[in-house]
Amino acid sequence: MKIQKLIDQIAEELQSTEHAWWLLEVITNKTKFQLLFESSELTDQQLTKLNYWVYKITQEHYPIQYLIASVPFLDCEILVEPPILIPRPETEEWCADLIEQLKTLENKNITILDMCTGSGCIAISVAASLPQAQVFAVDISDKAIALTKKNIELNKVSNVIFVKSDLYKELGNNKFDLIVTNPPYIDEALFETLDLSVKNWEDPNALISKDGGLFLIKQIIKKAPKYLKNNLEFQKNNIPNLVIEIDETQGEKVAKLMQETEFINVQIKKDLYGKNRVVCGNLSVI
């Protein structure tokens, strides 16, 4: 079968031309250009694998990212394994924006805490972009820590320390210039409404939080001042000391929590879809 005809067929089944090309490029280890212009044909083994992957996606709702086993995240390649949370474009977007802000610092010898690190995508991309920084990647899950370790090795970053901890419990007296987090924030009541590819395969503990999705966010905010340094350059340059990814419905509530907990310059930022996605602010420096 000609490549374009095959792509059209797969795209119809997957309802995504982008995913169709993604599968074909991975299975053949060829670029889209090579597949189109080098008279490529799939072997019987490759076709069998392709059909199996399409079945997994369409019938079992298995995430394509788990099949491919990695996703690009900024300038890094991040391995993904079930059931660890798959990095999202919305997270990648705010992370890229934050990195550009951090690059404007005169003193880049900073310490950063990535709470609920999951695959380590945030910690590793920040560390790769800011080699003078020291990044702590924290998670309570053994599987998440193991995957973070693999991603640290894959991306050859030497300035990430991974720590197994229930939020701040194992961090001792360490203080940080910046805390970033993509914590579980989905309301328990909304879990059943999630897409089957999420609900059936990704770790519920990385998605769901009690108290309308705010239980962990509240703990992170409440204790954050104890673990943050008084970095005047951050406030001077309007660079946040705390960045929290949220559900689109939580912006005002999380902003209020931060304002009530020693944070100023609190902002709600939207993602590429125009939805509230991040709340950030500066620690009040007296």
Coordinates of all heavy atoms in Angstrom, one line a residue, residues 201-241:
W201 N -5.7 4.5 32.2 CA -4.3 4.2 32.1 C -3.4 5.0 32.9 O -2.3 4.5 33.4 CB -3.8 4.2 30.6 CG -4.5 3.2 29.7 CD1 -5.6 3.5 28.9 CD2 -4.3 1.8 29.7 NE1 -6.0 2.3 28.3 CE2 -5.2 1.3 28.7 CE3 -3.4 1.0 30.3 CZ2 -5.3 -0.1 28.5 CZ3 -3.5 -0.4 30.0 CH2 -4.4 -0.9 29.1
E202 N -3.7 6.3 33.1 CA -2.8 7.1 33.9 C -3.1 7.0 35.4 O -4.2 6.8 35.8 CB -2.8 8.6 33.4 CG -2.2 8.7 32.0 CD -2.1 10.2 31.6 OE1 -1.1 10.8 31.9 OE2 -3.0 10.6 30.9
D203 N -2.1 7.2 36.2 CA -2.2 7.0 37.7 C -3.2 8.0 38.3 O -3.0 9.2 38.2 CB -0.8 7.2 38.3 CG -0.9 6.9 39.8 OD1 -1.9 6.5 40.4 OD2 0.2 7.1 40.5
P204 N -4.3 7.5 38.9 CA -5.3 8.4 39.5 C -4.7 9.3 40.6 O -5.1 10.4 40.8 CB -6.3 7.5 40.1 CG -6.2 6.2 39.3 CD -4.8 6.1 38.9
N205 N -3.6 8.7 41.3 CA -3.0 9.5 42.3 C -2.2 10.7 41.8 O -1.9 11.6 42.6 CB -2.0 8.6 43.1 CG -2.8 7.5 43.9 OD1 -3.8 7.8 44.4 ND2 -2.2 6.3 43.9
A206 N -1.9 10.7 40.5 CA -1.2 11.8 39.9 C -2.2 12.8 39.3 O -1.8 13.9 38.8 CB -0.3 11.4 38.8
L207 N -3.5 12.5 39.4 CA -4.5 13.3 38.7 C -5.5 13.9 39.8 O -5.8 15.1 39.7 CB -5.3 12.5 37.7 CG -4.6 11.9 36.5 CD1 -5.4 10.8 35.9 CD2 -4.3 13.0 35.5
I208 N -5.9 13.1 40.7 CA -7.0 13.5 41.6 C -6.5 14.0 42.9 O -5.6 13.5 43.5 CB -7.9 12.2 41.9 CG1 -8.5 11.6 40.6 CG2 -9.1 12.6 42.8 CD1 -9.1 10.3 40.7
S209 N -7.3 15.0 43.4 CA -7.0 15.5 44.8 C -8.4 15.8 45.4 O -9.3 16.2 44.7 CB -6.2 16.8 44.7 OG -5.8 17.2 46.0
K210 N -8.4 15.6 46.7 CA -9.7 15.9 47.5 C -9.9 17.4 47.5 O -9.2 18.2 47.0 CB -9.5 15.3 48.9 CG -9.4 13.8 48.9 CD -9.3 13.2 50.3 CE -8.0 13.6 51.0 NZ -7.8 13.0 52.3
D211 N -11.0 17.7 48.2 CA -11.4 19.1 48.4 C -11.5 19.9 47.1 O -10.9 21.0 47.0 CB -10.4 19.8 49.4 CG -10.8 21.1 49.9 OD1 -12.0 21.5 49.7 OD2 -10.0 21.8 50.5
G212 N -12.3 19.3 46.2 CA -12.5 20.0 44.9 C -11.2 20.1 44.1 O -11.1 21.0 43.2
G213 N -10.3 19.2 44.3 CA -9.0 19.2 43.6 C -8.0 20.1 44.2 O -6.8 20.2 43.7
L214 N -8.3 20.7 45.4 CA -7.4 21.7 46.0 C -6.6 21.2 47.2 O -5.8 22.0 47.7 CB -8.2 23.0 46.4 CG -8.8 23.8 45.3 CD1 -9.7 24.8 45.8 CD2 -7.8 24.4 44.4
F215 N -6.8 20.0 47.6 CA -6.2 19.5 48.8 C -4.7 19.6 48.8 O -4.1 20.2 49.8 CB -6.6 18.0 49.1 CG -6.0 17.4 50.3 CD1 -6.6 17.8 51.6 CD2 -5.0 16.5 50.3 CE1 -6.1 17.2 52.7 CE2 -4.5 16.0 51.5 CZ -5.0 16.3 52.7
L216 N -4.0 19.1 47.8 CA -2.6 19.2 47.8 C -2.1 20.6 47.5 O -1.0 21.1 48.0 CB -2.0 18.2 46.7 CG -2.1 16.7 47.2 CD1 -1.7 15.8 46.0 CD2 -1.3 16.4 48.4
I217 N -2.8 21.3 46.6 CA -2.4 22.7 46.3 C -2.4 23.5 47.6 O -1.5 24.3 47.8 CB -3.4 23.3 45.3 CG1 -3.1 22.7 43.9 CG2 -3.2 24.8 45.2 CD1 -4.1 23.1 42.8
K218 N -3.4 23.4 48.4 CA -3.4 24.1 49.7 C -2.2 23.8 50.5 O -1.6 24.7 51.1 CB -4.7 23.8 50.4 CG -6.0 24.4 49.9 CD -7.2 24.0 50.7 CE -8.4 24.7 50.1 NZ -9.7 24.3 50.9
Q219 N -1.8 22.5 50.6 CA -0.6 22.2 51.4 C 0.7 22.8 50.8 O 1.5 23.2 51.6 CB -0.5 20.7 51.5 CG -1.6 20.0 52.3 CD -1.4 18.5 52.4 OE1 -0.4 18.1 53.0 NE2 -2.3 17.7 51.8
I220 N 0.8 22.7 49.5 CA 2.0 23.3 48.9 C 2.1 24.8 49.1 O 3.1 25.3 49.5 CB 1.9 23.0 47.4 CG1 2.1 21.5 47.1 CG2 3.0 23.8 46.6 CD1 1.8 21.0 45.7
I221 N 1.0 25.5 49.0 CA 1.0 26.9 49.2 C 1.3 27.3 50.7 O 2.1 28.2 51.0 CB -0.3 27.6 48.8 CG1 -0.5 27.5 47.2 CG2 -0.4 29.0 49.2 CD1 -1.9 27.9 46.7
K222 N 0.6 26.6 51.6 CA 0.7 26.9 53.0 C 2.1 26.8 53.5 O 2.6 27.7 54.3 CB -0.2 26.0 53.8 CG -0.2 26.2 55.3 CD -1.1 25.3 56.0 CE -1.1 25.5 57.5 NZ -2.0 24.6 58.3
K223 N 2.9 25.8 53.1 CA 4.2 25.5 53.6 C 5.3 26.2 52.7 O 6.5 26.2 53.1 CB 4.4 24.0 53.7 CG 3.5 23.4 54.7 CD 3.8 21.9 54.9 CE 2.8 21.3 55.9 NZ 3.0 19.8 56.0
A224 N 4.9 26.7 51.5 CA 5.9 27.2 50.6 C 6.8 28.3 51.2 O 8.0 28.3 51.0 CB 5.3 27.7 49.3
P225 N 6.3 29.3 52.0 CA 7.1 30.3 52.5 C 8.3 29.8 53.3 O 9.4 30.4 53.3 CB 6.2 31.2 53.4 CG 4.8 31.0 52.7 CD 4.8 29.6 52.3
K226 N 8.1 28.7 54.1 CA 9.1 28.2 54.9 C 10.3 27.6 54.0 O 11.4 27.6 54.5 CB 8.6 27.0 55.7 CG 9.6 26.3 56.6 CD 8.9 25.1 57.3 CE 10.0 24.3 58.1 NZ 9.4 23.1 58.8
Y227 N 10.0 27.3 52.8 CA 11.0 26.7 51.9 C 11.5 27.6 50.8 O 12.3 27.2 50.0 CB 10.5 25.4 51.3 CG 10.3 24.3 52.4 CD1 9.1 24.2 53.0 CD2 11.3 23.4 52.7 CE1 8.9 23.2 54.0 CE2 11.1 22.4 53.7 CZ 9.9 22.3 54.3 OH 9.7 21.4 55.3
L228 N 11.1 28.9 50.9 CA 11.6 29.8 49.9 C 12.6 30.8 50.5 O 12.4 31.3 51.6 CB 10.4 30.6 49.3 CG 9.5 29.8 48.3 CD1 8.2 30.5 48.0 CD2 10.3 29.6 47.0
K229 N 13.6 31.2 49.7 CA 14.5 32.2 50.0 C 13.9 33.6 49.7 O 13.0 33.7 48.9 CB 15.8 32.0 49.2 CG 16.5 30.7 49.4 CD 17.7 30.6 48.4 CE 18.4 29.3 48.5 NZ 19.5 29.1 47.5
N230 N 14.5 34.6 50.4 CA 14.1 36.0 50.0 C 15.0 36.5 48.9 O 16.1 37.0 49.1 CB 14.3 36.9 51.3 CG 13.3 36.6 52.3 OD1 12.1 36.3 52.0 ND2 13.7 36.6 53.6
N231 N 14.6 36.2 47.7 CA 15.4 36.5 46.5 C 14.9 37.8 45.9 O 13.8 37.8 45.2 CB 15.4 35.4 45.5 CG 16.4 35.6 44.4 OD1 16.6 36.7 43.9 ND2 17.1 34.6 43.9
L232 N 15.5 38.9 46.2 CA 15.0 40.2 45.7 C 15.1 40.4 44.2 O 14.3 41.1 43.6 CB 15.9 41.4 46.4 CG 15.7 41.6 47.9 CD1 16.7 42.5 48.4 CD2 14.3 42.0 48.2
E233 N 16.0 39.7 43.6 CA 16.1 39.8 42.1 C 14.9 39.2 41.4 O 14.4 39.8 40.4 CB 17.4 39.1 41.6 CG 17.6 39.5 40.1 CD 18.8 38.8 39.5 OE1 19.5 38.1 40.2 OE2 19.1 39.0 38.3
F234 N 14.3 38.2 42.0 CA 13.1 37.6 41.4 C 11.9 38.7 41.5 O 11.2 38.9 40.5 CB 12.6 36.4 42.2 CG 13.2 35.1 41.7 CD1 14.6 34.9 41.8 CD2 12.4 34.1 41.2 CE1 15.2 33.7 41.3 CE2 13.0 32.9 40.7 CZ 14.3 32.7 40.8
Q235 N 11.8 39.3 42.6 CA 10.7 40.3 42.8 C 10.9 41.5 41.9 O 10.0 42.0 41.2 CB 10.5 40.7 44.2 CG 9.3 41.6 44.5 CD 9.0 41.7 46.0 OE1 9.2 40.8 46.7 NE2 8.6 42.9 46.4
K236 N 12.2 41.9 41.8 CA 12.6 43.1 41.0 C 12.2 42.9 39.6 O 11.8 43.8 38.9 CB 14.1 43.4 41.2 CG 14.6 44.5 40.4 CD 16.1 44.7 40.6 CE 16.6 45.8 39.7 NZ 18.1 45.9 39.8
N237 N 12.4 41.7 39.1 CA 12.2 41.3 37.7 C 10.9 40.7 37.4 O 10.6 40.2 36.3 CB 13.3 40.4 37.2 CG 14.7 41.1 37.1 OD1 15.0 41.9 36.2 ND2 15.5 40.9 38.1
N238 N 10.0 40.7 38.4 CA 8.7 40.1 38.3 C 8.7 38.7 37.9 O 7.9 38.2 37.1 CB 7.8 40.9 37.3 CG 6.3 40.7 37.6 OD1 5.9 40.3 38.7 ND2 5.5 40.8 36.5
I239 N 9.7 37.9 38.4 CA 9.8 36.5 38.2 C 9.2 35.8 39.4 O 9.6 36.1 40.5 CB 11.3 36.1 38.0 CG1 11.9 36.8 36.7 CG2 11.4 34.6 37.8 CD1 13.3 36.6 36.6
P240 N 8.3 34.9 39.2 CA 7.6 34.3 40.4 C 8.5 33.4 41.2 O 9.4 32.8 40.7 CB 6.4 33.5 39.8 CG 6.9 33.2 38.4 CD 7.7 34.4 38.0
N241 N 8.2 33.3 42.5 CA 8.8 32.3 43.4 C 8.0 31.0 43.5 O 8.6 30.0 44.0 CB 9.1 32.9 44.8 CG 9.9 34.1 44.8 OD1 9.3 35.2 45.0 ND2 11.2 34.0 44.5

